[in-house]
Amino acid sequence: MSGAVPARSTRVRRIPRGPRPENVPLLVGRACVLVGLLNIAAGSFPRFRHSRMHALAEVLPGAFGPFAAALSLSAGVLLLLLAHGLKRRKRRAWRAAVALLPVGAVAQFTYRHSLLGVLISLVLLALLLRHRTEFAALPDPRSRWRALANFVLMSAGSVLLGLVVVNAHPHRMLGDPSLADRITHVLYGLFGVEGPVDYRGTTSWTVAFSLGALGLLTAVTTIYLAFRPEHPAARLTEDDETRLRALLARHGGRDSLGHFALRRDKAVVFSPSGKAAVTYRVVSGVMLASGDPIGDVEAWPGAIERFMDEARAHSWTPAVMGCSETGGEVWTRETGLDALELGDEAVVDVADFSLAGRAMRNVRQMVKRIERAGYETRVRRVADLSDAELDRVRRAADAWRGTDTERGFSMALGRVGDPSDGDCLIATAHKQDAEPGEYGDLKAVLHFVPWGPDGASLDLMRRDRAADPGMNELLIVAALQAAPKLGVARVSLNFAMFRAALARGEKIGAGPVLRAWRGLLVFLSRWFQIESLYKFNAKFRPRWEPRFVVYRRSADLPRIGFAAMQAEGFVTVPLPRFLRRRTPARRPCAHQTPARAA
């Protein structure tokens, strides 16, 4: 390992930054929301006619009024949809907004006779044209998820907005239709069918055209998103994987998460010299890296610069999950980003591990009890297992998975038994006197990936739910005891989020704020493995290595957190079969497996 490592500090300090230039896209995006709402109001409430242009506008053909209302509504809704893309500097959003603003201005003049509405639209158009160079971001990777989300949100929005349109003409409505009749009228109108509500004069045409425009807009945008060509999801090519493996062979001992960069659903950017790399995945507009850069620490700045260039080119939000303190120092120094301690990684030094002593009594008793019950353990390299054994392990690990979807991103390899991963370790638990099942006498599996030449990093833990409790403790102890024979001197276990807060909050003398924070974490542990994972790791008396999240600004943290939960598989919404991405056949890869608990 080369390069100077910064001295350890208690926290990663924020790097001062110079003043930011005016964020024109953010301003334009907000203005676009305002104009979109103005257009929607123009199409929904025709009584807003206080402009001096009213008299002049009355000479326009009256039959154009209903069309103008529908046009105003459509333009307003589309501008609201484009606002987020404008804030992110997307070129296609800029083009669409430039085309829509004149349409909205015409509708404002024709239907509302509002000079103010026309001027606002034209001012925003001029602002977009004046700062057109600011909107150069490339498109995001595409998927069918957006079609489904668009259909749900647009349908709900169209129904609500349709109710506003239907109820905006109370003095022209015939009779007093019930709420059910009005909702029925909206639903029929979205499909272009006449409903049970009727109006005097041409108002029926105005409402019908407006509802029909909303329904058509929902259908057209959903069909476009569902059938447009997809940008391929992130995939690690064979050449990328070969280069990464070469970097890990020379510098893989620096970071316990390094081998997880070989997940094949990540993309990678290399430094100009090729001596360092950053792997990432884009989730909900967040460019999410994990762990430290791979390779020579002296070349990290070049890889980080390429990463930031890619984020700027697409207007993605850059973020790093789970980097070490050294990585956090380099990221903040080179980019001006901030770093926040996220939790601690449990690392056990094999030479110091022993089951002797009072502190290890519970683990020792549990292991002895399970061994007396007839269980035995085996710890081997993947390359030492036969094809039949590997197949049985894969099938068992898949069947014992506790969730419907695979989990993992930052601390999971995503496969077991791949021919290129022969150096990985597999620890298995067996019960010889048990009735043979589908997976023989196999009862539990632990999988470790290499951490440099003398380390291992826990990837996944799986066990048969019918097996005795304590399988994970048994296999971790077995792996640690077998480690010296396998040339392993250190083992990284699970990552415990907010460990410091949990540990300090339960000590005597903890202040009310710290106790309240710990109480919240304990409450959240009902759904997420926070406290339980910390206590599980603490059984093995590890040393704790802090891990950090690197981010641009505090306002991005909720978005980064949600993207990380999506990447790790904690937030998933199954797609209908016809919307699912179809991926081409790839090089041989063993069955997917979820992340180690994190």
Side-chain angles (χ1 to χ4, degrees):
M1 293 182 289
S2 62
V5 178
R8 180 179 180 123
S9 60
T10 57
R11 58 175 297 188
V12 175
R13 293 192 299 271
R14 180 172 180 169
I15 304 298
R17 292 177 297 207
R20 287 183 179 177
E22 184 180 1
N23 195 337
V24 174
L26 182 61
L27 175 64
V28 169
R30 291 173 178 173
C32 200
V33 171
L34 175 63
V35 175
L37 292 175
L38 186 62
N39 282 333
I40 291 174
S44 303
F45 305 103
R47 295 291 182 180
F48 295 162
R49 300 187 178 183
H50 304 298
S51 170
R52 296 180 180 178
M53 296 296 295
H54 184 194
L56 177 61
E58 285 182 337
V59 303
L60 294 175
F64 190 64
F67 292 102
L71 196 63
S72 185
L73 274 175
S74 301
V77 172
L78 287 173
L79 285 173
L80 288 181
L81 295 176
L82 292 172
H84 180 65
L86 290 172
K87 291 178 182 179
R88 296 183 56 208
R89 306 171 185 266
K90 295 298 183 180
R91 186 67 177 176
R92 290 185 177 179
W94 177 88
R95 290 172 179 168
V98 167
L100 277 173
L101 283 170
V103 175
V106 170
Q108 286 275 353
F109 177 80
T110 305
Y111 191 59
R112 271 193 61 198
H113 319 304
S114 172
L115 178 61
L116 179 61
V118 173
L119 288 177
I120 292 177
S121 296
L122 294 181
V123 167
L124 181 55
L125 177 62
L127 192 61
L128 282 171
L129 294 174
R130 170 67 179 81
H131 297 281
R132 58 186 177 276
T133 56
E134 295 284 341
F135 300 90
L138 301 175
D140 291 344
R142 299 169 179 171
S143 71
R144 305 306 184 199
W145 283 95
R146 294 189 179 181
L148 179 62
N150 179 84
F151 176 75
V152 173
L153 295 176
M154 285 288 290
S155 296
S158 295
V159 170
L160 294 176
L161 191 53
L163 284 173
V164 173
V165 172
V166 167
N167 292 296
H169 311 268
H171 300 297
R172 291 181 173 270
M173 189 178 294
L174 295 178
D176 186 20
S178 65
L179 178 60
D181 287 338
R182 300 182 190 208
I183 294 176
T184 302
H185 190 83
V186 171
L187 295 177
Y188 281 12
L190 294 178
F191 289 94
V193 179
E194 184 177 356
V197 180
D198 200 4
Y199 302 86
R200 298 186 186 91
T202 60
T203 304
S204 293
W205 289 100
T206 301
V207 173
F209 279 125
S210 298
L211 295 178
L214 290 174
L216 182 63
L217 190 61
T218 300
V220 168
T221 54
T222 301
I223 292 172
Y224 168 73
L225 292 173
F227 293 100
R228 66 176 178 170
E230 289 185 276
H231 285 185
R235 288 290 182 268
L236 207 64
T237 66
E238 290 189 39
D239 180 62
D240 291 337
E241 185 172 334
T242 299
R243 296 175 66 184
L244 285 174
R245 287 186 183 276
L247 293 177
L248 288 170
R250 294 192 294 270
H251 307 282
R254 181 178 292 280
D255 184 15
S256 63
L257 306 187
H259 200 85
F260 298 125
L262 298 176
R263 283 185 65 100
R264 289 167 181 163
D265 56 358
K266 291 183 178 181
V268 61
V269 289
F270 288 91
S271 65
S273 64
K275 295 182 179 180
V278 175
T279 58
Y280 68 91
R281 188 193 301 168
V282 179
V283 183
S284 297
V286 177
M287 191 176 183
L288 203 62
S290 59
D292 293 343
I294 307 300
D296 188 350
V297 69
E298 298 293 342
W300 283 6
I304 291 172
E305 183 179 1
R306 287 282 179 87
F307 177 88
M308 296 301 292
D309 288 343
E310 191 76 6
R312 279 189 291 269
H314 293 82
S315 193
W316 291 330
T317 299
V320 185
M321 297 295 297
C323 65
S324 69
E325 190 163 4
T326 299
E329 291 283 0
V330 176
W331 274 99
T332 55
R333 184 184 69 231
E334 297 296 327
T335 64
L337 301 178
D338 292 333
L340 179 68
E341 187 170 335
L342 188 61
D344 295 88
E345 177 186 16
V347 178
V348 178
D349 293 313
V350 174
D352 299 332
F353 177 77
S354 173
L355 286 177
R358 183 178 180 83
M360 298 298 294
R361 183 180 60 181
N362 290 337
V363 176
R364 182 173 63 249
Q365 291 176 345
M366 179 177 291
V367 170
K368 294 299 183 183
R369 176 180 58 79
I370 296 174
E371 289 177 341
R372 287 195 299 269
Y375 289 89
E376 66 177 35
T377 60
R378 303 169 192 168
V379 182
R380 294 162 288 175
R381 299 281 183 185
V382 167
D384 297 331
L385 273 71
S386 66
D387 292 340
E389 286 180 294
L390 276 177
D391 180 67
R392 184 164 61 249
V393 167
R394 293 186 198 116
R395 291 187 293 108
D398 181 59
W400 297 338
R401 186 176 64 223
T403 58
D404 293 333
T405 57
E406 295 288 358
R407 288 182 175 177
F409 165 69
S410 57
M411 298 180 181
L413 185 60
R415 58 184 183 268
V416 171
D418 191 274
S420 60
D421 298 322
D423 288 341
C424 292
L425 297 178
I426 288 185
T428 54
H430 306 262
K431 193 173 185 181
Q432 299 291 351
D433 58 349
E435 182 178 349
E438 182 180 357
Y439 313 111
D441 59 357
L442 184 64
K443 297 300 177 182
V445 176
L446 261 63
H447 185 256
F448 299 82
V449 300
W451 174 12
D454 62 348
S457 187
L458 181 59
D459 177 22
L460 66 85
M461 300 185 293
R462 298 284 173 81
R463 68 179 182 85
D464 187 347
R465 300 299 178 184
D468 291 287
M471 290 291 103
N472 291 331
E473 289 89 340
L474 173 69
L475 287 180
I476 288 178
V477 169
L480 291 171
Q481 291 176 338
K485 297 180 182 179
L486 297 169
V488 175
R490 51 186 179 165
V491 176
S492 168
L493 301 179
N494 296 300
F495 170 73
M497 292 186 64
F498 310 114
R499 181 206 65 88
L502 290 169
R504 295 168 190 163
E506 63 183 353
K507 290 183 178 179
I508 187 172
V513 175
L514 189 56
R515 287 185 180 275
W517 176 224
R518 182 183 181 277
L520 176 61
L521 294 175
V522 172
F523 174 76
L524 294 175
S525 295
R526 299 179 182 181
W527 298 277
F528 304 101
Q529 294 179 339
I530 300 177
E531 184 185 33
S532 60
L533 194 55
Y534 157 59
K535 290 184 176 180
F536 176 84
N537 291 333
K539 293 179 182 179
F540 304 98
R541 317 299 293 177
R543 56 182 168 89
W544 299 100
E545 295 291 337
R547 291 280 173 172
F548 298 84
V549 55
V550 178
Y551 59 98
R552 184 166 52 190
R553 52 177 176 262
S554 298
D556 292 335
L557 285 175
R559 184 181 179 190
I560 292 171
F562 184 72
M565 292 180 68
Q566 287 180 284
E568 297 288 355
F570 289 103
V571 178
T572 57
V573 179
L575 276 174
R577 185 178 298 274
F578 73 94
L579 288 177
R580 293 175 186 170
R581 176 185 286 113
R582 297 177 182 177
T583 53
R586 289 181 44 77
R587 51 201 161 104
C589 175
H591 200 285
Q592 295 268 321
T593 54
R596 59 174 171 172

